[in-house]
Amino acid sequence: MDKCCSNQSGAITHPLAPLTANEISKAADIVRADPPYGDDTRFETIELMEPGKTELADFKPGDPIKRIARVNVFSAVKVSVTKLVISLDDEKIISSQEMPGKRPMIQLEQFVEIEDIVCADPTFIEACKKRGITDMSMVCVDPWSAGNFDKPGEEGRHLAHVFAWLRKRENSNFYANPIEGLNAVVDLLSKEVIRVDDYGGAPIPEAEVNYEADFFDEKDFQPKAKPINVVQPEGVNFTLDGNKITWRNWELVIGFNARESLTLHDIKFNGRPIIHRASIVEMTVPYGSPDNGHYRKNVFDIGEYGIGKLANSLELGCDCLGVIKYLDVTLNTMNGEPWTIDKAICIHEEDSGLLWKHMDFRTERTETRRGAKLVISTICTVGNYEYALYWYLFLDGMIEFEVKATGIINTAACLPGEPGKYAVEVSPGVAGQIHQHILCARLDMAVDGNANSAVECNTFAEEPGPGNPYGNAYFERETVLASELAAARRANPPTQRYWKVVNPNKLGKTGRPVGYKLDATHCVTPFIHPESPSGKRAGFIQNHVWFTAYDAEERFPAGDFMNHSDGKDGLPDFIKQDRSLENTDLVMWHVFGLHHQVRMEDFPVQPCVTTGFKLMPMGFFDGNPAINLPPETNKASCPADA
């Protein structure tokens, strides 16, 4: 029984607890009793089908817990996916829906298989020989999703499009040695290379640019620094009951699945609901180069791979510092077997600096309070990139999400000194292309309940005249976004635009609706054309905020099945219903990210760059909720010369 899903007795303690290893095995066995594709049935995802909101609201500790699984299976020989809903209690399939022409996520087990298929292909081997490569064991092939480019011969297939690099010696950084202009297209069903695209191009850079410690002599390292230790001699301030966590004024349930990775549920402050469910539901990474095969680089790291399956097993004292609680996660293999990633989720506390302070200059009396935050995180490796995903909860009621992007930039070869207009040379003959990381958060809001409204706020300067004789007047105007089509919105810095979700039925002490504000500080401008092959598939990036009426099946902004998708069944289609958003159960979708013009400092391993957003209480409290924190002085702090 998985540690993150149960108490010490092994019993499921909450309806939102992720499926255990036993439950995953049970779901797979139920499918195998009547597999949709016979012996060719493979498993994409086996995950909890989360209970409805009414069922969750009625749940009391000790109540019986009904367990239902969502299972997506696919055919190993034809392009088709079947969506199943399974009752684990009754051991039967409740519903089945075949989706002909849909393709599953590329599975983790297929990564190495794709490399083996490519490196054994005679045409690819011959192209490598032309470049002076005779040892194919040193060729490294990354499996990229193929997109949808209407290429002849690709119709009706399930494909991967690959890029290649050359490893100079054992454990060397192969991204320093790109094999430019050589791409293979692999059929994941027939397990064959259907085409090798050889564009030619710059020679393979010769120099090694390594990062592993074993490649450094002791004299090459900087002098060792004195440690900065995080100690909590009295223990942590949070408690876990299964996967429900309580910390200071906060409580919530931690979830995890193969596609989204971390999910947060039933988030409350002092017992008051704020968010029913929060997660990052998509990330697309469009590259800006049309050269050679690089135009196909527009992966959907969540929808096409499943970022949860790519989670790291975290290391104490390296990935996580301080007094740490880890949770393991259990997912499924292609064959339906459970497999566990140890220490995939890290939970700890951090000092968050000054929370509030004031000194009365007349009396010189000072009150100071320091803040703290609860950190819930995971780190996922998607090929060359690492994405460290952090959810923070603060004592003043703020919620923050942050991504730290690190790892190795995707590289191409160029003639030394000639990277072209779409890239920056980071090492002689090695180029990093301009690109973006565009993410989408799905925030199922529940501000003091499920009856919420969406509001846009803009600031305007008063026109000069009798009402503004000194030219200093400006004001904020609130607009209720009444329906979905009106609520597809973009950032507007000239009016300091922001959005909030309010509960019109709950008023604060000044008579205004309680609410939470989206602090959208990392909106990005997309540069791929919306009618381009990649732009059609990523319609959600054309707005920074979308609001939709709640529908449990509208889970992903670009559709359920992203591989070779055509852009349908995502947010642009959801809002065509133009449902009302006033005083109702609504979902806020926020699109944000990184615009990455590569720097030389990003190589060989990129220092963390960050993006994210905040949700800040706005009228949710009748004052500063942290005003009554008791005064205290940290006794462990001391002068540096002590």
Side-chain angles (χ1 to χ4, degrees):
M1 188 66 68
D2 307 310
K3 300 174 191 174
C4 65
C5 306
S6 60
N7 60 20
Q8 292 182 347
S9 68
I12 300 296
T13 57
H14 197 280
L16 289 170
L19 297 182
T20 67
N22 290 338
E23 289 176 320
I24 289 172
S25 294
K26 188 174 185 179
D29 287 342
I30 293 169
V31 175
R32 292 189 192 104
D34 186 17
Y37 306 108
D39 292 341
D40 298 317
T41 299
R42 302 291 183 269
F43 293 83
E44 185 209 44
T45 49
I46 303 174
E47 64 184 14
L48 177 73
M49 185 166 188
E50 294 164 14
K53 295 184 178 183
T54 301
E55 183 179 343
L56 284 171
D58 293 340
F59 174 75
K60 301 292 187 299
D63 288 351
I65 298 174
K66 183 167 61 175
R67 301 291 275 175
I68 298 177
R70 289 183 187 266
V71 180
N72 288 345
V73 297
F74 63 97
S75 170
V77 296
K78 69 176 183 178
V79 176
S80 184
V81 176
T82 296
K83 299 169 66 174
L84 303 167
V85 177
I86 295 175
S87 170
L88 297 176
D89 302 317
D90 298 331
E91 299 187 8
K92 68 177 184 180
I93 295 173
I94 298 173
S95 68
S96 175
Q97 181 184 9
E98 186 174 9
M99 314 284 287
K102 300 295 185 182
R103 299 159 179 85
M105 297 183 291
I106 296 176
Q107 300 298 299
L108 180 61
E109 299 97 312
Q110 294 174 319
F111 283 22
V112 173
E113 183 181 33
I114 290 168
E115 183 171 70
D116 291 343
I117 291 168
V118 172
C119 288
D121 178 74
T123 304
F124 189 83
I125 292 171
E126 185 60 31
C128 288
K129 282 183 180 178
K130 291 179 182 178
R131 290 164 167 81
I133 302 169
T134 56
D135 184 357
M136 294 303 294
S137 70
M138 302 302 280
V139 174
C140 299
V141 173
D142 279 4
W144 286 63
S145 53
N148 191 346
F149 291 88
D150 296 324
K151 287 286 186 180
E154 295 187 2
E155 307 92 338
R157 294 178 181 264
H158 184 198
L159 303 173
H161 177 266
V162 310
F163 293 84
W165 292 263
L166 181 65
R167 198 186 289 278
K168 288 290 188 174
R169 52 180 163 145
E170 185 179 10
N171 297 326
S172 72
N173 173 24
F174 58 86
Y175 289 111
N177 311 106
I179 305 172
E180 181 55 36
L182 183 58
N183 309 99
V185 182
V186 180
D187 190 312
L188 298 180
L189 300 181
S190 63
K191 303 184 187 303
E192 63 179 334
V193 174
I194 67 165
R195 191 178 74 249
V196 174
D197 296 328
D198 192 343
Y199 300 93
I204 301 169
E206 289 296 325
E208 292 186 32
V209 188
N210 292 311
Y211 59 88
E212 288 198 18
D214 289 349
F215 289 100
F216 290 78
D217 292 329
E218 200 63 38
K219 62 181 175 57
D220 295 327
F221 290 110
Q222 297 180 24
K224 280 195 172 181
K226 297 174 182 177
I228 301 174
N229 295 325
V230 179
V231 297
Q232 291 180 271
E234 297 180 36
V236 298
N237 294 291
F238 59 82
T239 58
L240 275 167
D241 178 11
N243 61 326
K244 181 177 180 178
I245 187 167
T246 302
W247 177 74
R248 310 288 284 261
N249 296 19
W250 291 95
E251 62 181 271
L252 70 149
V253 178
I254 301 170
F256 196 99
N257 63 60
R259 183 160 177 167
E260 301 162 276
S261 73
L262 270 176
T263 58
L264 303 186
H265 306 259
D266 202 19
I267 304 173
K268 296 177 180 177
F269 191 100
N270 281 341
R272 297 171 64 189
I274 300 169
I275 303 177
H276 176 71
R277 189 183 195 275
S279 68
I280 306 303
V281 285
E282 195 53 90
M283 173 166 50
T284 182
V285 188
Y287 282 73
S289 173
D291 298 334
N292 297 335
H294 299 294
Y295 69 92
R296 295 191 81 147
K297 288 173 12 184
N298 183 29
V299 291
F300 292 75
D301 286 336
I302 292 176
E304 292 184 316
Y305 293 99
I307 200 168
K309 283 194 173 184
L310 307 177
N312 295 184
S313 184
L314 301 173
E315 188 171 345
L316 185 66
C318 297
D319 300 305
C320 311
L321 192 65
V323 182
I324 307 298
K325 174 64 178 178
Y326 290 110
L327 299 179
D328 303 340
V329 300
T330 301
L331 305 171
N332 65 279
T333 68
M334 280 175 58
N335 293 324
E337 301 300 326
W339 66 286
T340 297
I341 304 174
D342 295 333
K343 300 179 180 177
I345 300 172
C346 171
I347 305 169
H348 69 280
E349 297 170 282
E350 292 181 4
D351 177 274
S352 64
L354 189 67
L355 179 58
W356 64 262
K357 176 174 181 171
H358 183 64
M359 183 190 76
D360 185 328
F361 72 88
R362 293 175 178 83
T363 64
E364 296 189 358
R365 290 169 63 85
T366 300
E367 292 286 338
T368 303
R369 303 292 187 273
R370 290 197 65 80
K373 62 183 178 183
L374 181 71
V375 184
I376 304 170
S377 66
T378 191
I379 302 175
C380 305
T381 299
V382 188
N384 52 298
Y385 259 108
E386 266 75 23
Y387 296 101
L389 312 175
Y390 298 86
W391 288 96
Y392 305 129
L393 303 176
F394 293 84
L395 298 179
D396 62 352
M398 185 171 71
I399 302 168
E400 181 179 4
F401 175 77
E402 181 182 49
V403 180
K404 296 180 180 179
T406 180
I408 303 178
I409 60 169
N410 189 264
T411 55
C414 66
L415 295 175
E418 301 179 27
K421 68 190 293 186
Y422 306 107
V424 170
E425 192 171 19
V426 296
S427 183
V430 181
Q433 296 160 342
I434 190 171
H435 61 281
Q436 297 181 311
H437 306 256
I438 305 178
L439 299 91
C440 182
R442 182 181 183 273
L443 304 166
D444 182 357
M445 303 301 292
V447 178
D448 251 350
N450 292 325
N452 289 175
S453 296
V455 180
E456 179 175 286
C457 302
N458 291 278
T459 297
F460 300 97
E462 198 76 73
E463 290 294 328
N468 186 17
Y470 307 106
N472 69 314
Y474 51 95
F475 62 96
E476 185 175 270
R477 178 179 295 149
E478 295 188 355
T479 303
V480 176
L481 302 174
S483 66
E484 292 174 318
L485 289 175
R489 307 297 293 165
R490 293 184 61 80
N492 189 43
T495 64
Q496 296 295 302
R497 179 174 293 165
Y498 68 89
W499 301 269
K500 63 180 179 178
V501 175
V502 303
N503 187 327
N505 310 290
K506 303 288 181 69
L507 307 180
K509 67 181 180 182
T510 62
R512 291 175 57 82
V514 301
Y516 255 77
K517 167 189 174 179
L518 172 66
D519 190 15
T521 53
H522 288 270
C523 296
V524 293
T525 299
F527 288 94
I528 56 173
H529 194 281
E531 294 303 315
S532 68
S534 295
K536 288 179 181 178
R537 301 178 66 225
F540 72 93
I541 69 174
Q542 296 304 321
N543 289 300
H544 298 122
V545 168
W546 308 69
F547 288 93
T548 59
Y550 172 76
D551 183 330
E553 295 304 310
E554 292 179 354
R555 300 196 294 158
F556 303 111
D560 283 359
F561 299 103
M562 283 304 306
N563 271 313
H564 304 262
S565 63
D566 57 10
K568 297 178 181 176
D569 303 322
L571 270 170
D573 285 331
F574 297 166
I575 68 168
K576 288 177 181 177
Q577 302 167 78
D578 203 24
R579 294 164 292 192
S580 172
L581 296 175
E582 293 190 77
N583 200 16
T584 192
D585 195 353
L586 59 80
V587 177
M588 177 167 59
W589 311 71
H590 176 40
V591 179
F592 62 99
L594 294 165
H595 180 82
H596 192 178
Q597 178 54 282
V598 174
R599 310 171 299 156
M600 288 186 65
E601 289 85 352
D602 291 334
F603 197 68
V605 176
Q606 171 183 306
C608 286
V609 291
T610 63
T611 184
F613 61 89
K614 297 175 182 176
L615 291 165
M616 304 173 66
M618 197 165 195
F620 190 78
F621 304 106
D622 283 338
N624 180 349
I627 202 68
N628 60 346
L629 285 174
E632 57 183 336
T633 301
N634 182 269
K635 302 298 185 183
S637 299
C638 62
D641 57 356

